[in-house]
Amino acid sequence: MSLNAEWMQRDLAVLWHPCTQMKDHERLPLIPIKRGDGVWLEDFDGKRYLDAVSSWWVNVFGHGNPRINQRIREQLDSLEHVMLAGFTHAPVVELSERLVQITPAGLNKVFYADNGSSGIEVALKMSHHYWINHGQPGKKRFVTLTNSYHGETVAAMSVGDVALFTDTYKALLLDTIKVPSPDCYLRPAGMGWEEHSRNMFAAMEQTLAEHAHEVAAVIVEPLIQGAGGMRMYHPIYLTLLREACDRYGVHLIHDEIAVGFGRTGTLFACEQAGITPDFLVLSKALTGGYLPMAAVLTTDDVYAAFYDDYATLRAFLHSHTYTGNPLACAAALATLDIFRDDNVIEANKALAARMASATAHLAEHPHVAEVRQTGMALAIEMVQDKASKTAYPWQERRGLQVYQHALERGALLRPLGSVVYFLPPYVITPEQIDFLAEVATEGIDIATRQSTRVSVASDLYPNHRDPG
Ligand SMILES: *Cc1c(COP(=O)(O)O)cnc(C)c1O
């Protein structure tokens, strides 16, 4: 038995994997990874895979990055962890100073959680609690966009909108208000992104006019709806939203968990709209993809609403055990150093241009409805019928064919349904981008060649992170 097969067998005896119909692994091999090096992951049989999706969008500077490794090692020698209530430590103070510095003006306080979903819970609770502290406890609902994704915990799921997924748990969810997404894939033919995004704002304006009295906050994924299929929109929507939230007395929560740290072409997506949200939630690339951590940045106004004598019971009594873990802070500090010292945002412009040119031919493919891009995220939408943009039935699992082909060719290219996308580490080379484009083109040809595809497991439940 190969080493891969051995590890797979031991794994399947005891593990239950995330976002996976485990029965799929009767046919789909699980890939045990032995080591990572830059953009490459290597399995136990020595095969290498180019990590085109940054291991679920976290890894920006490559696996085993020497500078991040070094910083974590140094931290390990002095302090691995201490609770953050009543105590503090150098890396968390330094990181907070740096985050306040590099985010838009006005975000002056940082609260930590230990994963993205928990960060969303913090922002939702803080927002509602702010209104309670201001004598408006009726402001308890959240406005969210259709096709949103904000995480897996129950409140985060409530503000998300992946129909088949959330339907199962409907009985558990908060009652949120959904507004149609400015998703530019759905714009009328011939219309530009900006005009469509502006037009779509009318529904948001109307919702706020009607419901502001009972709304705590609007929550959005700025510029890219990631798990919803890398759907994109124009920054004007965020500019209009900021202005409307101010006018109606509603908080604005930016979930930049996926898009923060350079993915959209600027360090943070809100920069492109020229705005400061009331809450900015960061995670994923925050630690360079090394350790779980989330940061929720907020304003002096929000902070002040909680600052009082203990007996008034206005404090935010929310805690995650691993809040502000020093090793995660060290990884984040090393990551921020690389952004600063290597002029990453500027360098990424050439890589983004290469991603565009390497995939431009796919726009002409008979089963590709759109190739879209925002900065270092590029998505290719496979469809059954190009003219009408008719999607493939999810049961056909076309994306899975691309995934499997890519693995054979040495690339980790895990699609979202029928959307093939590149979200690579920023240390990728132009030649490696060309390789990915070649592999994706072959995979799309294979996946769209036959009129129907037999699903691997017909009982498979479709899901936002599932390649099928
Ligand atoms: C991944 C993601 C989350 C959830 O983060 P976890 O760390 O997986 O809990 C929330 N929002 C967005 C936009 C994400 O992409």
Side-chain angles (χ1 to χ4, degrees), residues 154-176:
V154 175
M157 216 173 26
S158 302
V159 290
D161 179 44
V162 180
L164 283 165
F165 187 67
T166 46
D167 271 3
T168 310
Y169 304 102
K170 199 154 60 186
L172 308 181
L173 303 184
L174 300 175
D175 175 31
T176 56

Side-chain angles (χ1 to χ4, degrees), residues 14 23 44 52 94 125 143 157 170 176 201 238 271 280 346 348 360-361 373 390 436 458 468:
V14 289
K23 189 166 188 276
F44 278 80
E94 283 172 24
K125 283 175 69 177
V143 174
M157 216 173 26
K170 199 154 60 186
T176 56
F201 191 75
L238 301 171
E271 294 169 28
L280 176 65
E346 197 50 39
N348 278 355
H361 62 281
Q373 183 177 16
T390 305
L436 285 182
S458 57

Side-chain angles (χ1 to χ4, degrees), residues 51 80-81 88 112 186 191 235 243 258 299 314 330 397 466:
D51 190 354
E80 83 300 332
H81 185 69
T88 193
Y112 291 93
L186 304 175
M191 189 179 280
E243 185 275 324
T299 61
R314 284 164 167 258
R397 307 186 78 185
D466 193 281

Side-chain angles (χ1 to χ4, degrees), residues 57 115-117 149-151 221 255 257-258 284 465:
W57 323 346
N115 63 79
S117 305
Y149 178 81
H150 295 291
E221 289 165 273
D255 175 353
I257 291 170
K284 291 204 165 113
R465 275 175 173 174

Side-chain angles (χ1 to χ4, degrees), residues 314-331:
R314 284 164 167 258
F316 190 58
L317 301 179
H318 176 115
S319 58
H320 295 288
T321 308
Y322 277 101
T323 297
N325 172 262
L327 297 172
C329 290

Side-chain angles (χ1 to χ4, degrees), residues 282-357:
L282 305 172
S283 187
K284 291 204 165 113
L286 170 61
T287 61
Y290 268 65
L291 288 156
M293 177 157 82
V296 183
L297 283 94
T298 192
T299 61
D300 291 331
D301 175 47
V302 170
Y303 182 76
F306 294 79
Y307 197 87
D308 207 340
D309 295 329
Y310 186 82
T312 62
L313 291 180
R314 284 164 167 258
F316 190 58
L317 301 179
H318 176 115
S319 58
H320 295 288
T321 308
Y322 277 101
T323 297
N325 172 262
L327 297 172
C329 290
L333 283 165
T335 301
L336 294 184
D337 282 352
I338 297 174
F339 272 106
R340 183 193 58 206
D341 299 342
D342 292 10
N343 206 7
V344 173
I345 299 299
E346 197 50 39
N348 278 355
K349 287 180 183 161
L351 293 174
R354 187 65 163 243
M355 280 164 57
S357 60

